[in-house]
Structures are given as structure tokens and as C-alpha cells.
Amino acid sequence: MAITTLKTVVVLDCPEPGKLAEFYARMLGGRVEGEGRWVEVTFDSGALRGRTLAFQEAPGHVPPQWPSAEHSQQFHFDFYVPREELDAAEREALELGARLVEGDDGGKRDFRVYLDPAGHPFCLCVD
């Protein structure tokens, strides 16, 4: 029997919670709620329905370095898109403020690695 319920999927430390919440809301189709030091993204439909991503202000936040054993990523998101939509998804992510840090080696791999605007790593993966 579970002893708790997971409602907030993850909480990300960052320097600007509202800005990072807006990035993920647009990436995943969620809604930004709140402002200030704690901002959430909620979801009304899809796989994340009823879940929350939260963003917490962390003065002096130092983002992970990818790849690095000394400043490891500790976690990352994998976001899935159909192969034929991968380039379009990348363009949109870059327009929202993501930064590509490792490509898919000319299509030899089924994922590409990016950093969000606060430096957290995530991947766009072929579904």
C-alpha cells in the first residue's frame, strides 16, 4: 500500500520561476499558475493530467553542466515526438529558449539533448 500520493511531478530550482514555468507550459501544453518565488504548471489533459510541475526560486542557482561527472545533471526529462515531427519540435523548443547541446549524430541516434533556459537538461526523443 502506498503511503503518499505524487501530485507534483518534480520541482525545479531556478533563478526565474515564472520564466521557466512559461517555457515548460508551452513545451508540454500546460497552464502557468502563480507568480513570485513558487510557480506551477498544471495540466488538464494528456498523460500529465492532474499533475503539477513546480518551479522554485533559488538565489545563486548553479545549473548542472552536461555532460560532466563533477557537476552532474542529476535528472533530466525525456520528451517524445514522432520522428517526422522531431525537426519541428526542435525549432519550437529553440524559439522558446532551449539550447541544443548534442545532436542526434545525423539521425544515428533517436534523441537530441538540450538545456532549458535555466540550464536543466532534457531530450527530445523519437517516439
PDB file of all heavy atoms in Angstrom, residues 23 27 66-67 86-87 89-107 109-125:
ATOM      1  N   PHE A  23       8.161  28.429 -20.164  1.00  0.00           N
ATOM      2  CA  PHE A  23       8.855  27.564 -21.120  1.00  0.00           C
ATOM      3  C   PHE A  23       8.238  26.168 -21.120  1.00  0.00           C
ATOM      4  O   PHE A  23       7.857  25.630 -22.167  1.00  0.00           O
ATOM      5  CB  PHE A  23      10.347  27.497 -20.767  1.00  0.00           C
ATOM      6  CG  PHE A  23      11.124  26.498 -21.578  1.00  0.00           C
ATOM      7  CD1 PHE A  23      11.601  26.823 -22.839  1.00  0.00           C
ATOM      8  CD2 PHE A  23      11.387  25.226 -21.076  1.00  0.00           C
ATOM      9  CE1 PHE A  23      12.328  25.911 -23.590  1.00  0.00           C
ATOM     10  CE2 PHE A  23      12.112  24.303 -21.821  1.00  0.00           C
ATOM     11  CZ  PHE A  23      12.575  24.652 -23.078  1.00  0.00           C
ATOM     12  N   MET A  27       6.019  24.067 -23.873  1.00  0.00           N
ATOM     13  CA  MET A  27       6.559  22.808 -24.387  1.00  0.00           C
ATOM     14  C   MET A  27       5.548  21.669 -24.243  1.00  0.00           C
ATOM     15  O   MET A  27       5.397  20.837 -25.130  1.00  0.00           O
ATOM     16  CB  MET A  27       7.833  22.408 -23.627  1.00  0.00           C
ATOM     17  CG  MET A  27       9.075  23.188 -23.974  1.00  0.00           C
ATOM     18  SD  MET A  27       9.805  22.752 -25.557  1.00  0.00           S
ATOM     19  CE  MET A  27      10.348  21.075 -25.261  1.00  0.00           C
ATOM     20  N   TRP A  66      26.357  19.720 -18.658  1.00  0.00           N
ATOM     21  CA  TRP A  66      26.149  18.475 -19.387  1.00  0.00           C
ATOM     22  C   TRP A  66      27.124  18.384 -20.536  1.00  0.00           C
ATOM     23  O   TRP A  66      27.233  19.349 -21.287  1.00  0.00           O
ATOM     24  CB  TRP A  66      24.713  18.403 -19.926  1.00  0.00           C
ATOM     25  CG  TRP A  66      24.409  17.038 -20.408  1.00  0.00           C
ATOM     26  CD1 TRP A  66      23.833  16.034 -19.695  1.00  0.00           C
ATOM     27  CD2 TRP A  66      24.691  16.510 -21.691  1.00  0.00           C
ATOM     28  NE1 TRP A  66      23.750  14.912 -20.467  1.00  0.00           N
ATOM     29  CE2 TRP A  66      24.272  15.182 -21.709  1.00  0.00           C
ATOM     30  CE3 TRP A  66      25.279  17.024 -22.838  1.00  0.00           C
ATOM     31  CZ2 TRP A  66      24.409  14.365 -22.813  1.00  0.00           C
ATOM     32  CZ3 TRP A  66      25.411  16.210 -23.946  1.00  0.00           C
ATOM     33  CH2 TRP A  66      24.968  14.893 -23.920  1.00  0.00           C
ATOM     34  N   PRO A  67      27.805  17.301 -20.691  1.00  0.00           N
ATOM     35  CA  PRO A  67      27.985  16.219 -19.717  1.00  0.00           C
ATOM     36  C   PRO A  67      29.112  16.558 -18.746  1.00  0.00           C
ATOM     37  O   PRO A  67      30.064  17.223 -19.117  1.00  0.00           O
ATOM     38  CB  PRO A  67      28.386  15.043 -20.606  1.00  0.00           C
ATOM     39  CG  PRO A  67      29.115  15.674 -21.764  1.00  0.00           C
ATOM     40  CD  PRO A  67      28.463  17.028 -21.964  1.00  0.00           C
ATOM     41  N   LEU A  86      10.250  15.655 -35.314  1.00  0.00           N
ATOM     42  CA  LEU A  86      11.410  15.978 -34.479  1.00  0.00           C
ATOM     43  C   LEU A  86      12.029  17.329 -34.830  1.00  0.00           C
ATOM     44  O   LEU A  86      12.297  18.144 -33.944  1.00  0.00           O
ATOM     45  CB  LEU A  86      12.460  14.865 -34.568  1.00  0.00           C
ATOM     46  CG  LEU A  86      13.684  15.004 -33.668  1.00  0.00           C
ATOM     47  CD1 LEU A  86      13.301  15.058 -32.198  1.00  0.00           C
ATOM     48  CD2 LEU A  86      14.645  13.844 -33.926  1.00  0.00           C
ATOM     49  N   ASP A  87      12.238  17.599 -36.115  1.00  0.00           N
ATOM     50  CA  ASP A  87      12.845  18.875 -36.509  1.00  0.00           C
ATOM     51  C   ASP A  87      11.950  20.053 -36.141  1.00  0.00           C
ATOM     52  O   ASP A  87      12.426  21.088 -35.663  1.00  0.00           O
ATOM     53  CB  ASP A  87      13.152  18.895 -38.004  1.00  0.00           C
ATOM     54  CG  ASP A  87      14.305  17.965 -38.375  1.00  0.00           C
ATOM     55  OD1 ASP A  87      15.138  17.660 -37.504  1.00  0.00           O
ATOM     56  OD2 ASP A  87      14.359  17.556 -39.548  1.00  0.00           O
ATOM     57  N   ALA A  89       9.711  20.099 -33.696  1.00  0.00           N
ATOM     58  CA  ALA A  89       9.735  20.216 -32.235  1.00  0.00           C
ATOM     59  C   ALA A  89      11.011  20.918 -31.787  1.00  0.00           C
ATOM     60  O   ALA A  89      10.983  21.759 -30.878  1.00  0.00           O
ATOM     61  CB  ALA A  89       9.625  18.836 -31.594  1.00  0.00           C
ATOM     62  N   GLU A  90      12.131  20.601 -32.435  1.00  0.00           N
ATOM     63  CA  GLU A  90      13.384  21.269 -32.093  1.00  0.00           C
ATOM     64  C   GLU A  90      13.295  22.761 -32.377  1.00  0.00           C
ATOM     65  O   GLU A  90      13.683  23.570 -31.529  1.00  0.00           O
ATOM     66  CB  GLU A  90      14.546  20.675 -32.873  1.00  0.00           C
ATOM     67  CG  GLU A  90      15.850  21.428 -32.599  1.00  0.00           C
ATOM     68  CD  GLU A  90      17.030  20.837 -33.319  1.00  0.00           C
ATOM     69  OE1 GLU A  90      17.628  19.889 -32.765  1.00  0.00           O
ATOM     70  OE2 GLU A  90      17.357  21.317 -34.421  1.00  0.00           O
ATOM     71  N   ARG A  91      12.778  23.137 -33.535  1.00  0.00           N
ATOM     72  CA  ARG A  91      12.656  24.568 -33.861  1.00  0.00           C
ATOM     73  C   ARG A  91      11.833  25.297 -32.806  1.00  0.00           C
ATOM     74  O   ARG A  91      12.200  26.375 -32.343  1.00  0.00           O
ATOM     75  CB  ARG A  91      12.022  24.757 -35.239  1.00  0.00           C
ATOM     76  CG  ARG A  91      12.982  24.576 -36.391  1.00  0.00           C
ATOM     77  CD  ARG A  91      12.397  25.023 -37.724  1.00  0.00           C
ATOM     78  NE  ARG A  91      11.185  24.305 -38.092  1.00  0.00           N
ATOM     79  CZ  ARG A  91      11.162  23.116 -38.708  1.00  0.00           C
ATOM     80  NH1 ARG A  91      12.296  22.519 -39.020  1.00  0.00           N
ATOM     81  NH2 ARG A  91      10.021  22.545 -39.018  1.00  0.00           N
ATOM     82  N   GLU A  92      10.720  24.695 -32.405  1.00  0.00           N
ATOM     83  CA  GLU A  92       9.864  25.337 -31.405  1.00  0.00           C
ATOM     84  C   GLU A  92      10.556  25.434 -30.056  1.00  0.00           C
ATOM     85  O   GLU A  92      10.478  26.463 -29.384  1.00  0.00           O
ATOM     86  CB  GLU A  92       8.545  24.590 -31.288  1.00  0.00           C
ATOM     87  CG  GLU A  92       7.674  24.755 -32.528  1.00  0.00           C
ATOM     88  CD  GLU A  92       6.326  24.086 -32.383  1.00  0.00           C
ATOM     89  OE1 GLU A  92       5.695  24.240 -31.320  1.00  0.00           O
ATOM     90  OE2 GLU A  92       5.911  23.411 -33.337  1.00  0.00           O
ATOM     91  N   ALA A  93      11.246  24.371 -29.652  1.00  0.00           N
ATOM     92  CA  ALA A  93      11.965  24.406 -28.377  1.00  0.00           C
ATOM     93  C   ALA A  93      13.035  25.494 -28.383  1.00  0.00           C
ATOM     94  O   ALA A  93      13.190  26.241 -27.412  1.00  0.00           O
ATOM     95  CB  ALA A  93      12.595  23.038 -28.088  1.00  0.00           C
ATOM     96  N   LEU A  94      13.767  25.611 -29.491  1.00  0.00           N
ATOM     97  CA  LEU A  94      14.801  26.647 -29.601  1.00  0.00           C
ATOM     98  C   LEU A  94      14.185  28.043 -29.576  1.00  0.00           C
ATOM     99  O   LEU A  94      14.734  28.953 -28.944  1.00  0.00           O
ATOM    100  CB  LEU A  94      15.632  26.428 -30.862  1.00  0.00           C
ATOM    101  CG  LEU A  94      16.450  25.135 -30.904  1.00  0.00           C
ATOM    102  CD1 LEU A  94      17.110  24.967 -32.264  1.00  0.00           C
ATOM    103  CD2 LEU A  94      17.473  25.070 -29.784  1.00  0.00           C
ATOM    104  N   GLU A  95      13.046  28.213 -30.234  1.00  0.00           N
ATOM    105  CA  GLU A  95      12.357  29.515 -30.220  1.00  0.00           C
ATOM    106  C   GLU A  95      11.905  29.886 -28.809  1.00  0.00           C
ATOM    107  O   GLU A  95      11.865  31.063 -28.459  1.00  0.00           O
ATOM    108  CB  GLU A  95      11.154  29.500 -31.152  1.00  0.00           C
ATOM    109  CG  GLU A  95      11.528  29.516 -32.622  1.00  0.00           C
ATOM    110  CD  GLU A  95      10.327  29.325 -33.547  1.00  0.00           C
ATOM    111  OE1 GLU A  95       9.177  29.313 -33.065  1.00  0.00           O
ATOM    112  OE2 GLU A  95      10.561  29.176 -34.759  1.00  0.00           O
ATOM    113  N   LEU A  96      11.586  28.876 -27.981  1.00  0.00           N
ATOM    114  CA  LEU A  96      11.154  29.125 -26.604  1.00  0.00           C
ATOM    115  C   LEU A  96      12.326  29.413 -25.669  1.00  0.00           C
ATOM    116  O   LEU A  96      12.126  29.802 -24.525  1.00  0.00           O
ATOM    117  CB  LEU A  96      10.367  27.925 -26.076  1.00  0.00           C
ATOM    118  CG  LEU A  96       9.018  27.682 -26.730  1.00  0.00           C
ATOM    119  CD1 LEU A  96       8.430  26.359 -26.246  1.00  0.00           C
ATOM    120  CD2 LEU A  96       8.067  28.827 -26.443  1.00  0.00           C
ATOM    121  N   GLY A  97      13.548  29.176 -26.136  1.00  0.00           N
ATOM    122  CA  GLY A  97      14.715  29.486 -25.311  1.00  0.00           C
ATOM    123  C   GLY A  97      15.600  28.304 -24.976  1.00  0.00           C
ATOM    124  O   GLY A  97      16.569  28.453 -24.236  1.00  0.00           O
ATOM    125  N   ALA A  98      15.291  27.116 -25.494  1.00  0.00           N
ATOM    126  CA  ALA A  98      16.161  25.968 -25.270  1.00  0.00           C
ATOM    127  C   ALA A  98      17.447  26.141 -26.068  1.00  0.00           C
ATOM    128  O   ALA A  98      17.514  26.933 -27.000  1.00  0.00           O
ATOM    129  CB  ALA A  98      15.459  24.680 -25.701  1.00  0.00           C
ATOM    130  N   ARG A  99      18.461  25.367 -25.682  1.00  0.00           N
ATOM    131  CA  ARG A  99      19.731  25.393 -26.397  1.00  0.00           C
ATOM    132  C   ARG A  99      20.151  23.959 -26.681  1.00  0.00           C
ATOM    133  O   ARG A  99      20.210  23.119 -25.767  1.00  0.00           O
ATOM    134  CB  ARG A  99      20.785  26.082 -25.529  1.00  0.00           C
ATOM    135  CG  ARG A  99      22.136  26.233 -26.205  1.00  0.00           C
ATOM    136  CD  ARG A  99      23.047  27.188 -25.453  1.00  0.00           C
ATOM    137  NE  ARG A  99      23.251  26.854 -24.067  1.00  0.00           N
ATOM    138  CZ  ARG A  99      24.293  26.153 -23.593  1.00  0.00           C
ATOM    139  NH1 ARG A  99      25.225  25.714 -24.417  1.00  0.00           N
ATOM    140  NH2 ARG A  99      24.406  25.907 -22.297  1.00  0.00           N
ATOM    141  N   LEU A 100      20.417  23.653 -27.950  1.00  0.00           N
ATOM    142  CA  LEU A 100      20.881  22.326 -28.343  1.00  0.00           C
ATOM    143  C   LEU A 100      22.315  22.144 -27.866  1.00  0.00           C
ATOM    144  O   LEU A 100      23.178  22.983 -28.128  1.00  0.00           O
ATOM    145  CB  LEU A 100      20.816  22.176 -29.868  1.00  0.00           C
ATOM    146  CG  LEU A 100      21.341  20.866 -30.442  1.00  0.00           C
ATOM    147  CD1 LEU A 100      20.458  19.695 -30.034  1.00  0.00           C
ATOM    148  CD2 LEU A 100      21.442  20.960 -31.963  1.00  0.00           C
ATOM    149  N   VAL A 101      22.586  21.031 -27.156  1.00  0.00           N
ATOM    150  CA  VAL A 101      23.953  20.757 -26.710  1.00  0.00           C
ATOM    151  C   VAL A 101      24.523  19.476 -27.307  1.00  0.00           C
ATOM    152  O   VAL A 101      25.728  19.270 -27.270  1.00  0.00           O
ATOM    153  CB  VAL A 101      24.083  20.734 -25.162  1.00  0.00           C
ATOM    154  CG1 VAL A 101      23.853  22.119 -24.590  1.00  0.00           C
ATOM    155  CG2 VAL A 101      23.164  19.712 -24.534  1.00  0.00           C
ATOM    156  N   GLU A 102      23.643  18.613 -27.856  1.00  0.00           N
ATOM    157  CA  GLU A 102      24.140  17.425 -28.541  1.00  0.00           C
ATOM    158  C   GLU A 102      23.077  16.945 -29.522  1.00  0.00           C
ATOM    159  O   GLU A 102      21.956  16.625 -29.127  1.00  0.00           O
ATOM    160  CB  GLU A 102      24.466  16.300 -27.555  1.00  0.00           C
ATOM    161  CG  GLU A 102      25.097  15.107 -28.234  1.00  0.00           C
ATOM    162  CD  GLU A 102      25.547  14.046 -27.242  1.00  0.00           C
ATOM    163  OE1 GLU A 102      26.248  14.404 -26.278  1.00  0.00           O
ATOM    164  OE2 GLU A 102      25.190  12.888 -27.437  1.00  0.00           O
ATOM    165  N   GLY A 103      23.450  16.899 -30.775  1.00  0.00           N
ATOM    166  CA  GLY A 103      22.530  16.451 -31.812  1.00  0.00           C
ATOM    167  C   GLY A 103      22.383  14.936 -31.828  1.00  0.00           C
ATOM    168  O   GLY A 103      22.897  14.227 -30.962  1.00  0.00           O
ATOM    169  N   ASP A 104      21.695  14.444 -32.851  1.00  0.00           N
ATOM    170  CA  ASP A 104      21.417  13.019 -32.954  1.00  0.00           C
ATOM    171  C   ASP A 104      22.393  12.299 -33.882  1.00  0.00           C
ATOM    172  O   ASP A 104      22.110  11.219 -34.382  1.00  0.00           O
ATOM    173  CB  ASP A 104      19.977  12.764 -33.388  1.00  0.00           C
ATOM    174  CG  ASP A 104      19.640  13.406 -34.722  1.00  0.00           C
ATOM    175  OD1 ASP A 104      20.546  13.955 -35.390  1.00  0.00           O
ATOM    176  OD2 ASP A 104      18.456  13.371 -35.093  1.00  0.00           O
ATOM    177  N   ASP A 105      23.547  12.902 -34.111  1.00  0.00           N
ATOM    178  CA  ASP A 105      24.602  12.310 -34.937  1.00  0.00           C
ATOM    179  C   ASP A 105      24.072  11.976 -36.330  1.00  0.00           C
ATOM    180  O   ASP A 105      24.233  10.860 -36.818  1.00  0.00           O
ATOM    181  CB  ASP A 105      25.197  11.088 -34.248  1.00  0.00           C
ATOM    182  CG  ASP A 105      26.534  10.655 -34.847  1.00  0.00           C
ATOM    183  OD1 ASP A 105      27.189  11.476 -35.534  1.00  0.00           O
ATOM    184  OD2 ASP A 105      26.923   9.484 -34.629  1.00  0.00           O
ATOM    185  N   GLY A 106      23.417  12.971 -36.930  1.00  0.00           N
ATOM    186  CA  GLY A 106      22.908  12.801 -38.287  1.00  0.00           C
ATOM    187  C   GLY A 106      21.795  11.774 -38.400  1.00  0.00           C
ATOM    188  O   GLY A 106      21.628  11.158 -39.434  1.00  0.00           O
ATOM    189  N   GLY A 107      21.040  11.591 -37.329  1.00  0.00           N
ATOM    190  CA  GLY A 107      19.941  10.627 -37.338  1.00  0.00           C
ATOM    191  C   GLY A 107      20.332   9.229 -36.883  1.00  0.00           C
ATOM    192  O   GLY A 107      19.501   8.327 -36.875  1.00  0.00           O
ATOM    193  N   ARG A 109      21.132   8.399 -33.830  1.00  0.00           N
ATOM    194  CA  ARG A 109      20.537   8.168 -32.510  1.00  0.00           C
ATOM    195  C   ARG A 109      19.095   8.669 -32.530  1.00  0.00           C
ATOM    196  O   ARG A 109      18.733   9.525 -33.322  1.00  0.00           O
ATOM    197  CB  ARG A 109      21.326   8.904 -31.434  1.00  0.00           C
ATOM    198  CG  ARG A 109      22.695   8.314 -31.191  1.00  0.00           C
ATOM    199  CD  ARG A 109      23.260   8.832 -29.881  1.00  0.00           C
ATOM    200  NE  ARG A 109      22.995  10.255 -29.753  1.00  0.00           N
ATOM    201  CZ  ARG A 109      23.930  11.198 -29.789  1.00  0.00           C
ATOM    202  NH1 ARG A 109      25.178  10.891 -29.918  1.00  0.00           N
ATOM    203  NH2 ARG A 109      23.607  12.461 -29.669  1.00  0.00           N
ATOM    204  N   ASP A 110      18.303   8.185 -31.608  1.00  0.00           N
ATOM    205  CA  ASP A 110      16.888   8.554 -31.538  1.00  0.00           C
ATOM    206  C   ASP A 110      16.615   9.648 -30.504  1.00  0.00           C
ATOM    207  O   ASP A 110      15.515   9.742 -29.963  1.00  0.00           O
ATOM    208  CB  ASP A 110      16.033   7.325 -31.206  1.00  0.00           C
ATOM    209  CG  ASP A 110      15.926   6.377 -32.379  1.00  0.00           C
ATOM    210  OD1 ASP A 110      16.158   6.802 -33.525  1.00  0.00           O
ATOM    211  OD2 ASP A 110      15.588   5.206 -32.145  1.00  0.00           O
ATOM    212  N   PHE A 111      17.591  10.480 -30.204  1.00  0.00           N
ATOM    213  CA  PHE A 111      17.374  11.578 -29.271  1.00  0.00           C
ATOM    214  C   PHE A 111      18.371  12.702 -29.531  1.00  0.00           C
ATOM    215  O   PHE A 111      19.425  12.495 -30.127  1.00  0.00           O
ATOM    216  CB  PHE A 111      17.497  11.112 -27.812  1.00  0.00           C
ATOM    217  CG  PHE A 111      18.887  10.653 -27.443  1.00  0.00           C
ATOM    218  CD1 PHE A 111      19.795  11.532 -26.883  1.00  0.00           C
ATOM    219  CD2 PHE A 111      19.280   9.341 -27.660  1.00  0.00           C
ATOM    220  CE1 PHE A 111      21.084  11.125 -26.554  1.00  0.00           C
ATOM    221  CE2 PHE A 111      20.561   8.913 -27.332  1.00  0.00           C
ATOM    222  CZ  PHE A 111      21.458   9.801 -26.770  1.00  0.00           C
ATOM    223  N   ARG A 112      17.979  13.896 -29.065  1.00  0.00           N
ATOM    224  CA  ARG A 112      18.839  15.084 -29.090  1.00  0.00           C
ATOM    225  C   ARG A 112      18.774  15.708 -27.696  1.00  0.00           C
ATOM    226  O   ARG A 112      17.728  15.697 -27.060  1.00  0.00           O
ATOM    227  CB  ARG A 112      18.341  16.094 -30.121  1.00  0.00           C
ATOM    228  CG  ARG A 112      18.336  15.550 -31.543  1.00  0.00           C
ATOM    229  CD  ARG A 112      17.671  16.515 -32.497  1.00  0.00           C
ATOM    230  NE  ARG A 112      17.555  15.927 -33.829  1.00  0.00           N
ATOM    231  CZ  ARG A 112      16.844  16.472 -34.814  1.00  0.00           C
ATOM    232  NH1 ARG A 112      16.195  17.613 -34.628  1.00  0.00           N
ATOM    233  NH2 ARG A 112      16.777  15.871 -35.982  1.00  0.00           N
ATOM    234  N   VAL A 113      19.885  16.270 -27.247  1.00  0.00           N
ATOM    235  CA  VAL A 113      19.971  16.810 -25.888  1.00  0.00           C
ATOM    236  C   VAL A 113      19.965  18.336 -25.926  1.00  0.00           C
ATOM    237  O   VAL A 113      20.678  18.947 -26.736  1.00  0.00           O
ATOM    238  CB  VAL A 113      21.251  16.314 -25.177  1.00  0.00           C
ATOM    239  CG1 VAL A 113      21.300  16.816 -23.739  1.00  0.00           C
ATOM    240  CG2 VAL A 113      21.339  14.784 -25.222  1.00  0.00           C
ATOM    241  N   TYR A 114      19.196  18.932 -25.027  1.00  0.00           N
ATOM    242  CA  TYR A 114      19.038  20.388 -24.945  1.00  0.00           C
ATOM    243  C   TYR A 114      19.173  20.826 -23.493  1.00  0.00           C
ATOM    244  O   TYR A 114      19.077  20.017 -22.572  1.00  0.00           O
ATOM    245  CB  TYR A 114      17.641  20.806 -25.430  1.00  0.00           C
ATOM    246  CG  TYR A 114      17.305  20.310 -26.792  1.00  0.00           C
ATOM    247  CD1 TYR A 114      16.858  19.007 -26.987  1.00  0.00           C
ATOM    248  CD2 TYR A 114      17.453  21.131 -27.902  1.00  0.00           C
ATOM    249  CE1 TYR A 114      16.567  18.532 -28.256  1.00  0.00           C
ATOM    250  CE2 TYR A 114      17.159  20.665 -29.179  1.00  0.00           C
ATOM    251  CZ  TYR A 114      16.717  19.364 -29.339  1.00  0.00           C
ATOM    252  OH  TYR A 114      16.437  18.903 -30.596  1.00  0.00           O
ATOM    253  N   LEU A 115      19.354  22.119 -23.304  1.00  0.00           N
ATOM    254  CA  LEU A 115      19.256  22.737 -21.985  1.00  0.00           C
ATOM    255  C   LEU A 115      18.085  23.692 -22.008  1.00  0.00           C
ATOM    256  O   LEU A 115      17.889  24.431 -22.982  1.00  0.00           O
ATOM    257  CB  LEU A 115      20.538  23.492 -21.642  1.00  0.00           C
ATOM    258  CG  LEU A 115      21.820  22.661 -21.578  1.00  0.00           C
ATOM    259  CD1 LEU A 115      23.011  23.556 -21.263  1.00  0.00           C
ATOM    260  CD2 LEU A 115      21.700  21.534 -20.557  1.00  0.00           C
ATOM    261  N   ASP A 116      17.280  23.699 -20.938  1.00  0.00           N
ATOM    262  CA  ASP A 116      16.192  24.663 -20.847  1.00  0.00           C
ATOM    263  C   ASP A 116      16.780  26.039 -20.524  1.00  0.00           C
ATOM    264  O   ASP A 116      18.001  26.171 -20.331  1.00  0.00           O
ATOM    265  CB  ASP A 116      15.129  24.204 -19.847  1.00  0.00           C
ATOM    266  CG  ASP A 116      15.555  24.269 -18.383  1.00  0.00           C
ATOM    267  OD1 ASP A 116      16.517  24.999 -18.023  1.00  0.00           O
ATOM    268  OD2 ASP A 116      14.908  23.591 -17.564  1.00  0.00           O
ATOM    269  N   PRO A 117      15.978  27.096 -20.474  1.00  0.00           N
ATOM    270  CA  PRO A 117      16.529  28.440 -20.231  1.00  0.00           C
ATOM    271  C   PRO A 117      17.304  28.600 -18.922  1.00  0.00           C
ATOM    272  O   PRO A 117      18.135  29.493 -18.806  1.00  0.00           O
ATOM    273  CB  PRO A 117      15.287  29.337 -20.255  1.00  0.00           C
ATOM    274  CG  PRO A 117      14.351  28.636 -21.176  1.00  0.00           C
ATOM    275  CD  PRO A 117      14.560  27.170 -20.851  1.00  0.00           C
ATOM    276  N   ALA A 118      17.061  27.716 -17.947  1.00  0.00           N
ATOM    277  CA  ALA A 118      17.808  27.792 -16.679  1.00  0.00           C
ATOM    278  C   ALA A 118      18.958  26.798 -16.633  1.00  0.00           C
ATOM    279  O   ALA A 118      19.652  26.712 -15.630  1.00  0.00           O
ATOM    280  CB  ALA A 118      16.867  27.558 -15.496  1.00  0.00           C
ATOM    281  N   GLY A 119      19.169  26.045 -17.713  1.00  0.00           N
ATOM    282  CA  GLY A 119      20.304  25.124 -17.782  1.00  0.00           C
ATOM    283  C   GLY A 119      20.019  23.685 -17.443  1.00  0.00           C
ATOM    284  O   GLY A 119      20.933  22.871 -17.405  1.00  0.00           O
ATOM    285  N   HIS A 120      18.754  23.305 -17.187  1.00  0.00           N
ATOM    286  CA  HIS A 120      18.427  21.909 -16.894  1.00  0.00           C
ATOM    287  C   HIS A 120      18.374  21.118 -18.203  1.00  0.00           C
ATOM    288  O   HIS A 120      17.762  21.567 -19.177  1.00  0.00           O
ATOM    289  CB  HIS A 120      17.060  21.803 -16.197  1.00  0.00           C
ATOM    290  CG  HIS A 120      16.957  22.601 -14.961  1.00  0.00           C
ATOM    291  ND1 HIS A 120      16.300  23.808 -14.916  1.00  0.00           N
ATOM    292  CD2 HIS A 120      17.423  22.385 -13.718  1.00  0.00           C
ATOM    293  CE1 HIS A 120      16.361  24.297 -13.696  1.00  0.00           C
ATOM    294  NE2 HIS A 120      17.039  23.451 -12.951  1.00  0.00           N
ATOM    295  N   PRO A 121      18.959  19.929 -18.240  1.00  0.00           N
ATOM    296  CA  PRO A 121      18.957  19.146 -19.480  1.00  0.00           C
ATOM    297  C   PRO A 121      17.615  18.457 -19.728  1.00  0.00           C
ATOM    298  O   PRO A 121      16.904  18.076 -18.799  1.00  0.00           O
ATOM    299  CB  PRO A 121      20.061  18.110 -19.244  1.00  0.00           C
ATOM    300  CG  PRO A 121      20.200  18.019 -17.773  1.00  0.00           C
ATOM    301  CD  PRO A 121      19.782  19.329 -17.192  1.00  0.00           C
ATOM    302  N   PHE A 122      17.288  18.317 -21.003  1.00  0.00           N
ATOM    303  CA  PHE A 122      16.161  17.495 -21.431  1.00  0.00           C
ATOM    304  C   PHE A 122      16.461  16.974 -22.825  1.00  0.00           C
ATOM    305  O   PHE A 122      17.329  17.485 -23.514  1.00  0.00           O
ATOM    306  CB  PHE A 122      14.832  18.277 -21.407  1.00  0.00           C
ATOM    307  CG  PHE A 122      14.682  19.347 -22.442  1.00  0.00           C
ATOM    308  CD1 PHE A 122      14.093  19.075 -23.669  1.00  0.00           C
ATOM    309  CD2 PHE A 122      15.107  20.640 -22.177  1.00  0.00           C
ATOM    310  CE1 PHE A 122      13.942  20.078 -24.630  1.00  0.00           C
ATOM    311  CE2 PHE A 122      14.962  21.646 -23.129  1.00  0.00           C
ATOM    312  CZ  PHE A 122      14.372  21.361 -24.356  1.00  0.00           C
ATOM    313  N   CYS A 123      15.751  15.923 -23.204  1.00  0.00           N
ATOM    314  CA  CYS A 123      15.936  15.318 -24.514  1.00  0.00           C
ATOM    315  C   CYS A 123      14.637  15.329 -25.291  1.00  0.00           C
ATOM    316  O   CYS A 123      13.572  15.139 -24.728  1.00  0.00           O
ATOM    317  CB  CYS A 123      16.396  13.862 -24.388  1.00  0.00           C
ATOM    318  SG  CYS A 123      18.009  13.664 -23.613  1.00  0.00           S
ATOM    319  N   LEU A 124      14.752  15.565 -26.584  1.00  0.00           N
ATOM    320  CA  LEU A 124      13.670  15.273 -27.499  1.00  0.00           C
ATOM    321  C   LEU A 124      13.995  13.916 -28.090  1.00  0.00           C
ATOM    322  O   LEU A 124      15.063  13.725 -28.683  1.00  0.00           O
ATOM    323  CB  LEU A 124      13.570  16.325 -28.605  1.00  0.00           C
ATOM    324  CG  LEU A 124      13.089  17.714 -28.182  1.00  0.00           C
ATOM    325  CD1 LEU A 124      13.046  18.650 -29.386  1.00  0.00           C
ATOM    326  CD2 LEU A 124      11.721  17.637 -27.508  1.00  0.00           C
ATOM    327  N   CYS A 125      13.106  12.957 -27.875  1.00  0.00           N
ATOM    328  CA  CYS A 125      13.327  11.565 -28.266  1.00  0.00           C
ATOM    329  C   CYS A 125      12.307  11.154 -29.311  1.00  0.00           C
ATOM    330  O   CYS A 125      11.156  11.608 -29.290  1.00  0.00           O
ATOM    331  CB  CYS A 125      13.163  10.647 -27.062  1.00  0.00           C
ATOM    332  SG  CYS A 125      14.225  11.050 -25.659  1.00  0.00           S
TER     333      CYS A 125
END
